[in-house]
Amino acid sequence: MNAVFKTFALASFLVMFAAGAHAGETVVSQKNKDFSQKSLKIKVGDSIAFRNDDPFFHNVFSLSDAASFDLGSYAQGQSKSVTFKKAGTVEIECSIHPNMKMVVEVQ
Amino acid sequence: MRASLRTIISLAAFVPMAAAGSEQDQIAKVCKPADAEDCIVREFKHTLEASKIRGRIVYKNYCVLCHGETGMGDGRAAKVHTPKPANLVASKAPPEYIDLIVRKGGEGVGRYRGMPPWGDQLTDEQIADVKNYLVALRRP
């Protein structure tokens, strides 16, 4: 019985460890022409899902050396993800709403 | 400063037309070069000249990021787009098409999706103004 318990405990630990080792995903909402977070720290390999919670289009992009991308325009309720593969500071903007800005520190 | 210079040059171009009693003649009579743009937008707001001035402001706020300061398609965000943003100086698109692609974006008219739809962000007047500015921006 004790052996079964130990095996179960070990299996549980391994499952939890494996889950922790996975890259994380953070959801950043676009609401009222603003990002829900102005700054964010993530690890290399992590992703951010940019979710449009406004009733109009957003178009998130970055021109930073650490991550250069353009997600294109997407409507309310839609979400687009980016995986950050390089450490550094990433400035993120919306091409439709020039006042929308946030900074992601990829560590 | 560059905009003011351009306005002064534009106003100078109005002078020979004074005899014709045109709209541009009236502008030249009323608006002094020192504050020509403000004057045109204020006193002649329904004219093409006023629309182009307002359109340039719209362009600088929303379009310059991809299409660049001079409309050549070389804005700072051009590097993340393939194909590159359109060279608006060389464009031959009819004004009606400009109106459509500005409102619906590239994807909305069956072209590259990099051009966002601006119909929700810009007013009808802003779209008309930027269209007039873009037509004036063209070079043969």
Side-chain angles (χ1 to χ4, degrees):
Chain A
M1 190 62 172
N2 196 27
V4 171
F5 177 77
K6 281 180 179 173
T7 304
F8 178 76
L10 179 62
S12 300
F13 174 78
L14 288 174
V15 167
M16 288 171 65
F17 179 80
H22 273 213
E25 182 175 75
T26 305
V27 176
V28 173
S29 166
Q30 290 102 75
K31 179 83 173 165
N32 299 324
K33 297 184 183 178
D34 212 351
F35 289 108
S36 57
Q37 301 182 65
K38 290 291 183 192
S39 63
L40 189 60
K41 286 183 181 174
I42 62 173
K43 292 186 169 63
V44 172
D46 285 355
S47 301
I48 297 178
F50 293 95
R51 189 183 68 216
N52 183 356
D53 290 323
D54 272 325
F56 39 77
F57 284 88
H58 284 295
N59 191 139
V60 172
F61 74 98
S62 172
L63 304 176
S64 299
D65 292 338
S68 182
F69 60 85
D70 181 278
L71 298 182
S73 50
Y74 48 102
Q76 183 176 29
Q78 293 184 334
S79 180
K80 297 219 175 182
S81 291
V82 181
T83 300
F84 294 83
K85 299 170 182 171
K86 193 174 168 185
T89 301
V90 182
E91 295 174 355
I92 294 173
E93 306 171 58
C94 173
S95 62
I96 303 176
H97 307 100
N99 292 330
M100 287 178 63
K101 294 179 194 300
M102 73 171 291
V103 175
V104 176
E105 293 289 343
V106 186
Q107 299 170 331
Chain B
M1 183 59 110
R2 192 182 301 164
S4 299
L5 182 60
R6 190 161 44 227
T7 303
I8 291 167
I9 292 169
S10 299
L11 285 173
F14 298 156
V15 174
M17 302 178 73
S22 66
E23 188 176 79
Q24 292 177 339
D25 175 36
Q26 293 175 37
I27 291 173
K29 281 181 182 172
V30 173
C31 297
K32 306 294 181 227
D35 70 337
E37 290 200 345
D38 288 346
C39 174
I40 292 169
V41 171
R42 188 178 61 244
E43 304 295 336
F44 299 91
K45 62 182 178 183
H46 298 302
T47 65
L48 178 60
E49 290 306 313
S51 179
K52 286 190 288 188
I53 293 166
R54 291 192 301 265
R56 194 181 69 242
I57 295 167
V58 174
Y59 181 86
K60 300 291 184 195
N61 281 333
Y62 299 105
C63 315
V64 74
L65 176 70
C66 294
H67 292 285
E69 286 288 335
T70 58
M72 303 283 279
D74 57 354
R76 68 184 181 92
K79 70 176 185 177
V80 292
H81 292 284
T82 304
K84 296 298 177 199
N87 180 345
L88 303 173
V89 177
S91 173
K92 291 181 169 44
E96 298 77 17
Y97 184 79
I98 298 174
D99 187 287
L100 196 65
I101 197 168
V102 169
R103 287 180 192 279
K104 296 190 170 185
E107 195 170 21
V109 297
R111 293 184 63 182
Y112 173 56
R113 57 188 279 274
M115 166 83 177
W118 295 95
D120 292 333
Q121 176 70 10
L122 302 178
T123 65
D124 288 346
E125 183 188 55
Q126 285 177 307
I127 291 172
D129 289 343
V130 80
K131 178 177 64 181
N132 287 328
Y133 174 70
L134 294 179
V135 170
L137 201 61
R138 293 175 177 179
R139 295 291 172 265

